[in-house]
């Protein structure tokens, strides 16, 4: 089953009702249907389905490819019955595109501007036009399957480790969990792995998280960033046309969490990975650095982008949180989300599945977006958190309500 079909199958009845009431399907039909995003080689695409044993894979090159390396968190696996410290591991992710092979972006900019009511305004504002072009471009760049990269990891104490990553799959992504060393590295240390053999530095940040301590799993859209995920034109406008805005009081609240809990940070969003540079820059401007986890397949039309935010989000987020649990099962977890999508249900499911892991759940009640009456009802929250102690979860409107609650966490 393809990623798109799987997402459709995971759509809940509530998501379907919300999408219909907010006219998502009609807006999606107005957007460009499809553009060709795979590399020109059919062999690359077909062989990419063979996985890591693909005999036809080729190394990515600076002349032919653009490569992103995604920040990650290194962890020591916890083995039942084994007390000795295990070697550090990290999930390494690279996204590979074809360099210099770009479609004319003008028609997509015009179509997007028309969908969000900016067509007249767009012609007068060069800043808005440039912003839309920059954020649309990663959706238009052709992906490059069957490519591998070599990463050099400058582990503390002067060593460098080389690891081969890939080949990329049919979405242009290579993802592998690799050992990166067995040194006694302090919690919170940061190293910058980079592509070996490339003149221009392409790097990522790896943060080391020891088995014990706190971690925060935070949603992004309408939890810490103003996105309007309940409205299709709101998503498009805030994603492509506007400067990103943090939710009032949330940067200060996360600074408070950092001071009192000193956690590892995981930012979990249903956005596609094409938005990684945009969202990473936003997080670096307002919040503590951490690992940004996005959907790992590439959309080929803007209508599907809207589906990414609104379809199958609960199953997707639960799946990613299960992965975080496998990495750091002994950590104490604070989950922060909002009421626009399925954060309450997702966090409640994880709380029940892994008893003792999640210590607190904070849900922002979003009141500045239309169509939120049912999502914000007391009945919805009581039903979502049925069987979970009242002191574990809190629905809030102002982040200042949470400061003292964080101070009580141990």
């Amino acid at each position: 089953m393809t990623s798109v079909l799987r997402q459709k199958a995971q759509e809940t009845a509530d998501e379907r009702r919300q999408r219909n009431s907010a006219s998502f399907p009609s807006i999606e039909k107005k957007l460009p249907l499809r553009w060709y995003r795979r590399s020109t080689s059919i062999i690359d695409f077909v062989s990419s389905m063979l996985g890591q044993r693909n005999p036809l894979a080729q190394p990515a090159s600076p002349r032919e490819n653009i490569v992103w390396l995604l920040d990650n968190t290194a962890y020591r696996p916890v083995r039942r019955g084994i007390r000795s410290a295990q070697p550090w591991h990290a999930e390494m992710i690279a996204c590979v595109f074809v360099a210099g092979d770009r479609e004319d972006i003008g028609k997509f900019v015009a179509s997007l501007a028309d969908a969000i009511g900016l067509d007249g305004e767009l012609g007068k504002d060069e800043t808005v036009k440039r912003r839309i072009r920059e954020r649309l471009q990663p959706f238009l760049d052709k992906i490059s399957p069957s490519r591998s990269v070599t990463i050099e990891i400058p582990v503390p104490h002067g060593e460098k480790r080389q690891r081969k990553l890939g080949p990329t799959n049919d979405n242009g992504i290579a993802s592998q969990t690799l050992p990166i060393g067995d040194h006694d590295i302090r919690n919170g240390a940061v190293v910058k792995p980079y592509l070996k053999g490339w003149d221009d530095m392409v790097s990522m940040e790896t943060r080391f998280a020891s088995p014990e301590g706190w971690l925060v799993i935070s949603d992004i859209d309408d939890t810490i960033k103003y996105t309007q995920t309940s409205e299709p034109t709101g998503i498009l406008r805030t994603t492509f046309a506007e400067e990103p805005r943090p939710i009032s009081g949330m940067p200060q609240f996360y600074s408070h969490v950092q001071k009192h809990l000193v956690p590892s940070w995981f930012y979990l969003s249903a956005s596609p990975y094409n938005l990684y540079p945009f969202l990473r820059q936003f997080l670096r401007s307002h919040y503590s650095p951490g690992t940004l986890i996005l959907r790992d397949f590439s959309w080929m039309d803007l209508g599907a982008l809207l589906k990414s935010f609104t379809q199958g989000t609960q199953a997707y987020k639960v799946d990613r949180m299960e992965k975080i649990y496998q990495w750091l099962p002994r950590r104490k977890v604070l989950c922060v989300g909002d009421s626009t999508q399925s954060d309450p249900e997702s966090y409640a499911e994880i709380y029940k599945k892994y008893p003792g892991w999640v210590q607190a759940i904070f849900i922002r009640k979003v009141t500045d977006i239309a169509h939120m009456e049912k999502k914000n009802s007391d009945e919805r929250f009581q039903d979502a958190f049925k069987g979970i102690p009242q002191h574990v979860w809190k629905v809030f409107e102002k982040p200042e309500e949470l400061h003292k609650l964080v101070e009580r966490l141990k």
Side-chain angles (χ1 to χ4, degrees):
M1 182 183 290
T2 68
S3 300
V4 176
L5 292 176
R6 181 169 60 250
Q7 179 178 298
K8 176 63 176 177
Q10 292 172 340
E11 182 184 38
T12 66
D14 185 63
E15 287 174 335
R16 192 175 305 113
R17 285 192 297 269
Q18 184 176 349
R19 283 175 46 78
N20 289 333
S21 66
S23 302
F24 272 85
S26 62
I27 296 295
E28 289 161 1
K29 290 178 181 177
K30 296 179 182 179
L31 297 170
L33 291 178
R34 185 170 293 274
W35 52 77
Y36 186 68
R37 297 204 59 236
R38 296 191 178 97
S39 71
T40 53
S41 171
I42 298 298
I43 294 176
D44 285 345
F45 171 65
V46 174
S47 65
S48 70
M49 299 180 185
L50 299 176
Q52 296 180 11
R53 297 182 179 180
N54 179 1
L56 302 178
Q58 299 292 321
S61 73
R63 185 174 61 85
E64 298 179 351
N65 298 110
I66 298 169
V67 176
W68 298 348
L69 297 179
L70 277 53
D71 298 338
N72 60 12
T73 298
Y75 62 94
R76 287 188 185 273
V78 175
R79 310 295 188 195
R80 183 174 297 178
I82 300 177
R83 291 190 175 185
S84 59
Q86 300 297 301
W88 292 95
H89 287 67
E91 182 182 46
M92 299 283 182
I93 300 177
C95 307
V96 185
F97 304 88
V98 177
D101 189 6
R102 295 185 166 184
E103 283 190 60
D104 176 24
I105 198 173
K107 60 183 178 181
F108 299 108
V109 173
S111 177
L112 178 61
D114 180 63
I116 59 181
L118 286 178
D119 47 340
E121 176 184 341
L122 183 66
K124 303 176 183 178
D125 195 328
E126 288 299 324
T127 300
V128 174
K129 184 186 298 185
R130 183 172 60 253
R131 188 180 298 143
I132 293 177
R133 285 178 177 273
E134 289 175 354
R135 295 181 192 168
L136 265 179
Q137 192 62 63
F139 290 87
L140 299 174
D141 288 339
K142 293 180 180 178
I143 57 180
S144 190
S146 296
R147 293 294 180 269
S148 62
V149 297
T150 299
I151 298 176
E152 196 155 86
I153 307 168
V155 179
H157 311 295
E159 274 192 61
K160 291 183 179 180
R161 301 285 181 91
Q162 287 187 20
R163 295 289 184 266
K164 181 180 178 182
L165 178 60
T168 52
N169 61 17
D170 59 337
N171 284 298
I173 300 175
S175 175
Q176 290 172 245
T177 297
L178 300 172
I180 60 174
D182 55 4
H183 296 286
D184 185 15
I185 301 173
R186 67 174 177 83
N187 179 58
V190 181
V191 299
K192 290 191 174 183
Y194 55 89
L195 288 185
K196 180 178 173 57
W198 289 50
D199 293 334
D200 295 330
M201 176 64 75
V202 179
S203 64
M204 61 195 293
E205 290 188 354
T206 295
R207 284 180 160 71
F208 289 79
S210 58
E212 285 80 24
W214 280 89
L215 71 83
V216 174
I217 298 175
S218 172
D219 176 54
I220 295 177
D221 300 294
D222 292 313
T223 296
I224 60 174
K225 173 185 169 292
Y226 185 68
T227 303
Q228 294 186 298
T229 48
S230 291
E231 299 178 353
T233 55
I235 292 175
L236 296 174
R237 182 184 289 267
T238 58
T239 299
F240 294 104
E242 296 179 355
E243 280 297 320
R245 290 179 286 156
I247 298 297
S248 177
M250 291 303 287
Q252 295 81 1
F253 170 60
Y254 275 28
S255 293
H256 191 73
V257 172
Q258 177 64 36
K259 176 183 176 181
H260 286 274
L261 302 183
V262 196
S264 294
W265 294 84
F266 291 86
Y267 298 96
L268 176 57
S269 171
S271 302
Y273 80 85
N274 315 73
L275 290 176
Y276 182 84
F278 166 59
L279 291 176
R280 184 182 188 272
Q281 180 58 47
F282 167 76
L283 292 172
R284 290 304 176 95
S285 298
H286 301 284
Y287 297 99
S288 297
T291 296
L292 172 57
I293 301 176
L294 305 175
R295 288 194 190 264
D296 56 2
F297 49 93
S298 181
W299 290 117
M300 298 179 68
D301 60 77
L302 288 180
L305 167 67
L306 293 179
K307 294 184 179 76
S308 177
F309 282 96
T310 58
Q311 195 176 68
T313 58
Q314 181 173 342
Y316 158 74
K317 289 191 173 183
V318 168
D319 177 76
R320 295 308 186 268
M321 286 189 285
E322 288 176 336
K323 179 181 286 189
I324 297 172
Y325 175 80
Q326 299 304 319
W327 297 340
L328 296 163
R330 293 180 183 171
R331 286 250 172 172
K332 298 177 182 179
V333 181
L334 166 61
C335 296
V336 187
D338 66 85
S339 61
T340 58
Q341 301 297 329
S342 59
D343 290 343
E345 291 77 14
S346 301
Y347 293 153
E349 184 174 342
I350 284 294
Y351 177 91
K352 295 173 182 176
K353 187 165 187 177
Y354 302 110
W357 192 51
V358 175
Q359 303 294 307
I361 301 170
F362 299 154
I363 299 295
R364 175 177 177 258
K365 181 188 286 189
V366 178
T367 58
D368 53 356
I369 300 177
H371 314 294
M372 288 298 297
E373 294 79 13
K374 186 174 181 180
K375 287 283 189 180
N376 284 339
S377 67
D378 290 340
E379 182 181 4
R380 184 263 178 107
F381 297 124
Q382 292 294 336
D383 185 57
F385 295 117
K386 185 177 181 181
I388 297 177
Q390 181 69 51
H391 72 270
V392 171
W393 59 278
K394 166 76 173 176
V395 178
F396 70 97
E397 293 187 35
K398 296 182 179 180
E400 294 78 12
E401 303 171 38
L402 306 175
H403 285 232
K404 290 190 180 299
L405 295 179
V406 167
E407 294 168 15
R408 296 187 192 125
L409 294 175
K410 298 180 180 180

